[in-house]
Amino acid sequence: MSFTLARDHVKRGELARRSGCNLETIRYYEGIKLLPEPTRTESGHRLYSIDDQRRLRFILRSRELGFSIEEIRSLLSMVDSGAYACCDIHSITQEHLASVSQKIKDLRKLERTLKKISSECQTNNDPDCPIVEALVSDYGAA
């Protein structure tokens, strides 16, 4: 993802364009308080500072890496307070990595099961289908 920071404040549309995300995503992050309420012009337009832009980049990159909203909230809370050490961030990242590793393991099991039931199918016009039978049974249950 390419994210170009502006030198000064930008409006929401420009922030969305620069960040590669849509306006609704930015609204959502504001609504759940991951992004602070931006300053406004006299006419009511939202203006996002360089810090706001960096924060959005942090959020978007964290989401790309699969961190949950609560994990991001926790990371941002630490960063915002300045009361953290690298080991604190590492701990959250290691927990996330363990979760990702488990998901990969589960997906590999799912892949093996789907390959097995697919290989048993004759792909003909016979109404007896091993895939249907596998879906209604405890096929491959752990």
Side-chain angles (χ1 to χ4, degrees):
M1 169 193 306
S2 175
F3 195 127
T4 307
L5 292 176
R7 288 201 165 125
D8 203 355
H9 291 75
V10 295
K11 292 181 182 177
R12 187 183 283 163
E14 181 64 15
L15 179 60
R17 187 186 69 72
R18 288 174 184 263
S19 67
C21 72
N22 64 46
L23 293 169
E24 291 305 316
T25 302
I26 295 169
R27 283 188 189 115
Y28 173 71
Y29 291 144
E30 286 174 16
I32 63 170
K33 307 292 188 217
L34 284 182
L35 279 175
E37 185 71 28
T39 59
R40 292 183 183 252
T41 65
E42 287 182 20
S43 60
H45 293 284
R46 289 172 175 80
L47 292 177
Y48 297 87
S49 68
I50 291 174
D51 287 340
D52 296 332
Q53 295 170 59
R54 285 189 177 127
R55 188 176 187 92
L56 178 60
R57 180 173 50 188
F58 180 98
I59 294 165
L60 294 173
R61 184 67 178 127
S62 297
R63 291 298 289 153
E64 281 181 352
L65 293 173
F67 284 96
S68 70
I69 294 297
E70 287 311 310
E71 288 169 326
I72 295 169
R73 189 179 308 284
S74 186
L75 290 168
L76 285 170
S77 176
M78 288 182 192
V79 171
D80 289 346
S81 71
Y84 69 92
C86 188
C87 63
D88 300 324
I89 304 297
H90 182 264
S91 177
I92 291 172
T93 303
Q94 287 302 114
E95 289 174 22
H96 179 62
L97 178 58
S99 172
V100 168
S101 295
Q102 183 61 50
K103 288 176 187 174
I104 290 170
K105 182 179 173 184
D106 293 344
L107 285 170
R108 285 189 178 127
K109 180 180 177 184
L110 175 62
E111 179 184 39
R112 284 190 307 273
T113 301
L114 289 170
K115 281 181 179 179
K116 178 152 179 50
I117 64 174
S118 291
S119 72
E120 295 171 1
C121 186
Q122 300 301 313
T123 64
N124 58 23
N125 292 330
D126 190 346
D128 295 324
C129 181
I131 295 173
V132 171
E133 288 305 313
L135 293 174
V136 297
S137 73
D138 288 334
Y139 189 90

